[in-house]
Amino acid sequence: MKKVSKIVMGVLIFILSVSAFGKGKIYVGTNAEFPPFEYLQDGKIVGFDIDLINAIGKEINKDIVIKDMAFDGLIPALQMNKVDIVIAGMTASEDRKAAVNFSSPYYEANQVIILNENNKDIKGFKDLNGKIVGVVLGFTGDLVISEMKDVNSKKYNASYGAIMELQNNKIDAVVLDSQTAINYVKHNKGIKLCDSKGDLEEYAIAISKNNPKLLSEINKAIEELKKNGTYDKLIEKYM
Ligand code: ARG
């Protein structure tokens, strides 16, 4: 290579690496088994949360790198600095608040009951007593049902597994977050939603307690995305 082109190359590489370094990455943990918030489509992780965090990344000038993992491994991954934040339709519960910080809430949900279409005797949470109820390990639905002493809970690793067992009459009901439940009922035959709803839950982005700066940047970005219409567009796209 001629000397001049070597210098040009050197300068180019320098500029590229400075800009890549300057931008910085945010490693984001999720569990892509929770449509419409995060799920796999043709092998790609997509969904409301994924679009939202990418929009936040743009606002705060950071590249987003998504890491898919088991739901109950997300908070430990955050605590061990394997990821910087978690976005996973995660309810900002009091228990979790003891371990991590949460952004301002970005979505509201409740636990709901999914039933076989022909089920007539379950009309609310009280009617789950004595029944076998599918929940997903570590989800808030798991906690709610585990507190009901007369309910037989059956724990699954992923929500779709519970839905299939319900369709096959292996269990009486599934307790799951409202929007995800609506999504499953829409796309699967023979199941319906029960009218009654559990307590209000708020989804928020989890951030390590050691990173208050990132927390306030993310909160500012959420506020901006709600103001400029991006948030509403995502709601319309996914819900
Ligand atoms: N909102 C529920 C919780 O926080 C369920 C979240 C499940 N999210 C997921 N990406 N798998 O426990």
Side-chain angles (χ1 to χ4, degrees), residues 31 33-34 38 71 88-91 96 138-140 177 201 203:
N31 167 250
E33 292 172 349
F34 198 61
E38 43 271 329
F71 186 77
M90 183 175 273
T91 304
R96 290 172 183 156
F139 282 20
T140 37
D177 295 52
E201 296 184 21
Y203 295 172

Side-chain angles (χ1 to χ4, degrees), residues 7-21:
I7 292 170
V8 171
M9 277 289 276
V11 169
L12 266 178
I13 288 170
F14 177 76
I15 291 173
L16 278 175
S17 51
V18 165
S19 56
F21 186 75

Side-chain angles (χ1 to χ4, degrees), residues 207 211-221:
I207 303 149
N211 209 344
K213 187 169 165 257
L214 185 59
L215 173 69
S216 73
E217 283 177 341
I218 287 179
N219 279 340
K220 250 188 241 145

Side-chain angles (χ1 to χ4, degrees), residues 91 108-112 125 140-141 144 147 175-178 196-203:
T91 304
E108 290 185 348
N110 318 76
Q111 295 304 308
V112 296
F125 282 83
T140 37
V144 169
E147 275 173 15
V175 168
L176 195 63
D177 295 52
S178 39
S196 97
K197 276 184 190 162
D199 298 340
L200 175 74
E201 296 184 21
E202 291 182 319
Y203 295 172

Side-chain angles (χ1 to χ4, degrees), residues 81 107 160:
N81 290 317
Y107 197 79
Y160 193 58

